[in-house]
């Protein structure tokens, strides 16, 4: 293991909720909860103000509303979060070529590989400067941990929260870990924690004291040996710049169980298309199509089909997912559906049958267009048999047009809108044909609230605004960071 604390772990503070507070001046300093707002939604992130009421990530949204009824509940805006995440990752990549993102808001950095730190003092300087740069560029805060290993750097960043920096001195790791709960170590979840508790082991120090043989007896060879090594602060895992994507998938949980088989088929087709969009965006193709179905009784079924070669064709994925669905009984209702692709590759070997079918459909469509063009050239007369010089033209009965009722426009809480008169704002809530909007921007004072009809033509969805005004952003060029 290293002798200098040159592994850095960055964890943005309550990332989604903090981004929403930065974008919405009226929510700063107030409880904010981001997640699915339906009856089966869960909390993605809660602001520190909301955490005081006991709200935390992965909590059912209904429980969160009971704990913090006056909090602001918002639908995630992943487009905004990805933009801010990319700004943060750009800052990290300027420090080192070895940056290992774990999620949109979390990453490891090998400072030694970047030549920016080789001892305690230089690592501290880089960590403090990084925190300041993130604040200047994004308006948000992040917590930084520094240590000689990835495990300890992550523990350090947790101790630094919120908006802090913690460095664990090499050589002090075992003393630091000894009194901590076993749940502190990576890979120790509720089940493993309960197993250790039943064996009389509650702290990391007790893991080290139990010995490797006892850990192997309790947890098995692989997990027991790995956990014992971590309790002794041994972690030789390197920072890996790129991780191989093993699968691409999308899934939706429905507020009300779906019983209509036709709608289930339609949802599976829609999910297949979304999955292919993600697959293509990542530059991949895949051989194995996976369907996931969670039924009304919470039983979860998965079905898979492996193709002859990798594909990124939406038609192929749709057809495979539809075939898989035929083997699943959904009569009792479906609460979740998902479509995924595994066995990824960076090339495609299209399904020849699907290609041939698509080509045949294209030929049929072209022939139909040519026939229609010929009919127009004859003055619009349909072909018929001539009797006594007259042409019999089949009469098509006139069916009165049924007026199409447009679907009610939906406005997600927290999402951006623009009004022709009042400018940029965000949705506070909607229902009963009305939508309430607060008009403010990230750089304005808290704005006023106005209510409109959901079909108001002056109100349109809008893209998120930058959290920091361009004139206020720091480090717009890479040279700015290097010069510091």
């Amino acid at each position: 293991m290293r002798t200098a604390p040159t592994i850095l772990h960055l964890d943005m503070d309550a990332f989604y909720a903090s981004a929403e507070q930065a974008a919405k001046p009226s929510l700063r300093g107030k409880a904010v909860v981001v997640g699915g707002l339906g009856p089966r939604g869960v909390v993605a992130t809660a602001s520190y103000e909301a955490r005081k009421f006991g709200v935390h990530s992965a909590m059912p949204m209904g429980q969160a509303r009971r704990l913090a009824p006056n909090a602001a509940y918002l639908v995630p805006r992943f487009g905004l979060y990805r933009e801010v995440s990319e700004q943060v990752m750009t800052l990290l990549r300027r420090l080192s070529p070895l940056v290992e993102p774990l999620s949109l808001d979390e990453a490891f950095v090998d400072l030694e590989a970047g030549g920016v730190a080789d001892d305690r003092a230089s690592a501290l300087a880089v960590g403090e400067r990084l925190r300041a740069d993130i604040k200047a560029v994004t308006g948000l805060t992040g917590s930084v941990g520094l240590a000689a290993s990835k495990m300890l750097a992550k523990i350090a960043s947790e101790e630094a929260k919120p908006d802090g920096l913690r460095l664990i001195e090499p050589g002090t790791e075992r003393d630091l870990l000894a009194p901590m709960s076993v749940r502190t170590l990576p890979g120790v979840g509720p089940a493993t924690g309960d197993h250790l508790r039943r064996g009389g082991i509650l702290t990391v120090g007790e893991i080290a004291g139990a010995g490797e043989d006892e850990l192997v007896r309790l947890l098995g060879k692989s997990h027991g040996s790995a956990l014992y090594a971590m309790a002794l602060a041994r972690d030789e895992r390197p920072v890996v710049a790129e991780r191989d994507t093993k699968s691409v998938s999308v899934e939706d949980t429905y507020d009300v169980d779906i019983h209509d088989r036709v709608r289930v088929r339609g949802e599976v087709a829609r999910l297949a298309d979304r999955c292919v969009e993600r697959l293509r965006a990542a530059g991949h193709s895949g051989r194995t199509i996976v369907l996931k179905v969670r039924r009304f009784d919470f039983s979860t079924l998965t079905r898979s089909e492996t193709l002859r070669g990798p594909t990124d064709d939406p038609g192929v994925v749709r057809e495979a997912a539809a075939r898989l669905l035929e083997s699943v009984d959904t009569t009792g209702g479906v609460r979740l559906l998902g479509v995924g692709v595994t066995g990824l590759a960076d090339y495609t070997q299209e399904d020849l049958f699907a290609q041939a079918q698509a080509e045949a459909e294209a030929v049929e469509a072209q022939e139909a267009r040519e026939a229609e063009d010929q009919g127009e050239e004859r003055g619009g007369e349909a072909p018929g048999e001539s009797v006594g010089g007259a042409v019999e033209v089949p009469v098509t009965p006139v069916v009165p047009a049924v007026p199409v009722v447009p679907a009610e426009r939906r406005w997600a809480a927290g999402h951006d809108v623009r009004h022709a008169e009042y400018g940029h704002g965000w949705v506070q809530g909607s229902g009963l044909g009305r939508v309430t909007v607060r008009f403010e921007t990230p750089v304005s004072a808290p704005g006023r609230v106005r209510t409109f009809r959901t079909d108001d033509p002056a109100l349109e969805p809008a893209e998120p605004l930058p959290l920091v005004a361009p004139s206020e952003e720091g480090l717009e060029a890479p040279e700015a960071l290097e010069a510091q």
Side-chain angles (χ1 to χ4, degrees), residues 152 155-156 159 166-169 171-181 184 204:
L152 290 160
I155 291 173
E159 292 193 338
R166 173 83 160 87
L167 182 146
I168 296 178
E169 295 279 2
T172 67
E173 295 95 344
R174 289 192 62 177
D175 291 338
L176 175 77
L177 289 173
M180 292 183 174
S181 165
T184 304
V204 177

Side-chain angles (χ1 to χ4, degrees), residues 8 19 74 218 291 351 482:
L8 180 148
L74 307 176
L218 288 172
L291 175 71
D351 185 309
E482 295 165 0

Side-chain angles (χ1 to χ4, degrees), residues 397-410:
V398 178
V399 178
V402 178
V404 178
V405 179
E408 182 179 344
R409 299 169 75 187
R410 296 184 178 274

Side-chain angles (χ1 to χ4, degrees), residues 244-320:
D244 292 335
T245 303
K246 296 181 179 179
S247 65
V248 174
S249 63
V250 296
E251 62 182 43
D252 276 345
T253 300
Y254 304 100
D255 293 342
V256 179
D257 291 349
I258 302 177
H259 294 82
D260 183 358
R261 185 75 175 185
V262 174
R263 186 184 167 196
V264 171
R265 292 193 191 100
E267 289 293 313
V268 168
R270 183 179 61 83
L271 290 168
D273 289 342
R274 284 174 52 196
C275 183
V276 170
E277 287 178 9
R278 290 191 181 183
L279 192 69
R280 289 179 169 179
H284 292 304
S285 59
R287 290 190 63 200
T288 302
I289 314 304
V290 180
L291 175 71
K292 176 180 178 181
V293 180
R294 181 167 297 151
R295 299 189 292 192
F296 70 99
D297 58 357
F298 286 88
S299 61
T300 301
L301 305 176
T302 58
R303 299 287 185 268
S304 64
E305 175 182 319
T306 299
L307 308 174
R308 288 174 294 174
T311 184
D312 65 352
D313 186 290
V316 174
V317 176
R318 276 197 305 270
E319 291 170 10

Side-chain angles (χ1 to χ4, degrees), residues 358-378:
E359 290 172 2
E361 290 175 354
V363 170
E364 289 177 4
Q366 179 64 27
E367 290 176 349
R369 285 194 296 271
E370 290 176 356
E372 183 179 346
D373 292 341
Q374 292 173 1
E376 290 177 354
E377 290 175 2
R378 289 192 297 267

Side-chain angles (χ1 to χ4, degrees), residues 462-483:
E463 293 297 318
L465 297 177
L467 300 184
V468 177
S471 60
E472 298 177 14
E473 286 186 8
L475 307 178
E476 295 182 359
E479 294 79 7
L481 179 60
E482 295 165 0

Side-chain angles (χ1 to χ4, degrees), residues 60-352:
M61 191 60 75
Q63 183 181 355
R65 289 185 182 276
R66 289 191 294 272
L67 292 171
N70 296 320
Y73 289 87
L74 307 176
V75 176
R77 295 186 296 162
F78 289 110
L80 170 66
Y81 309 149
R82 290 190 196 96
E83 289 180 11
V84 177
S85 174
E86 186 54 38
Q87 290 176 313
V88 173
M89 297 302 165
T90 298
L91 291 175
L92 297 182
R93 294 187 187 103
R94 292 173 185 171
L95 297 176
S96 172
L98 294 184
V99 175
E100 182 178 341
L102 303 180
S103 62
L104 290 177
D105 62 338
E106 187 179 1
F108 287 110
V109 185
D110 187 335
L111 301 180
E112 191 173 310
V116 294
D118 56 8
D119 59 14
R120 180 184 189 279
S122 56
L124 276 173
V126 170
E128 291 288 7
R129 190 173 72 234
L130 174 63
R131 291 176 57 233
D133 293 342
I134 290 172
K135 180 69 173 178
V137 172
T138 69
L140 306 180
T141 63
S143 296
V144 171
L146 293 162
S149 70
K150 291 169 70 172
M151 177 185 75
L152 290 160
K154 184 171 175 60
I155 291 173
S157 70
E158 284 295 323
E159 292 193 338
K161 283 188 167 294
D163 191 19
L165 183 149
R166 173 83 160 87
L167 182 146
I168 296 178
E169 295 279 2
T172 67
E173 295 95 344
R174 289 192 62 177
D175 291 338
L176 175 77
L177 289 173
M180 292 183 174
S181 165
V182 295
R183 293 288 302 275
T184 304
L185 299 179
V188 180
T192 301
D194 287 344
H195 204 56
L196 291 171
R197 180 180 54 78
R198 289 193 293 271
I201 299 174
L202 302 177
T203 68
V204 177
E206 289 170 346
I207 291 178
E212 184 173 0
D213 290 343
E214 177 65 8
L215 268 295
V216 169
R217 186 186 70 81
L218 288 172
L219 305 174
K221 177 63 177 174
S222 178
H223 197 186
S225 296
L227 200 59
Y228 180 69
M230 287 190 289
L232 299 179
R234 297 174 187 163
D235 180 15
E236 300 291 346
R237 294 174 300 160
V239 176
V240 180
E242 293 184 6
R243 292 173 170 235
D244 292 335
T245 303
K246 296 181 179 179
S247 65
V248 174
S249 63
V250 296
E251 62 182 43
D252 276 345
T253 300
Y254 304 100
D255 293 342
V256 179
D257 291 349
I258 302 177
H259 294 82
D260 183 358
R261 185 75 175 185
V262 174
R263 186 184 167 196
V264 171
R265 292 193 191 100
E267 289 293 313
V268 168
R270 183 179 61 83
L271 290 168
D273 289 342
R274 284 174 52 196
C275 183
V276 170
E277 287 178 9
R278 290 191 181 183
L279 192 69
R280 289 179 169 179
H284 292 304
S285 59
R287 290 190 63 200
T288 302
I289 314 304
V290 180
L291 175 71
K292 176 180 178 181
V293 180
R294 181 167 297 151
R295 299 189 292 192
F296 70 99
D297 58 357
F298 286 88
S299 61
T300 301
L301 305 176
T302 58
R303 299 287 185 268
S304 64
E305 175 182 319
T306 299
L307 308 174
R308 288 174 294 174
T311 184
D312 65 352
D313 186 290
V316 174
V317 176
R318 276 197 305 270
E319 291 170 10
R323 287 193 296 269
L324 294 171
L325 179 63
E326 293 307 311
S327 65
V328 178
D329 179 12
T330 62
T331 53
V334 171
R335 61 185 290 117
L336 178 146
L337 290 169
V339 174
V341 178
T342 65
L344 302 186
D346 56 3
Y347 66 96
T348 63
Q349 181 178 325
E350 302 295 359
D351 185 309
L352 299 181

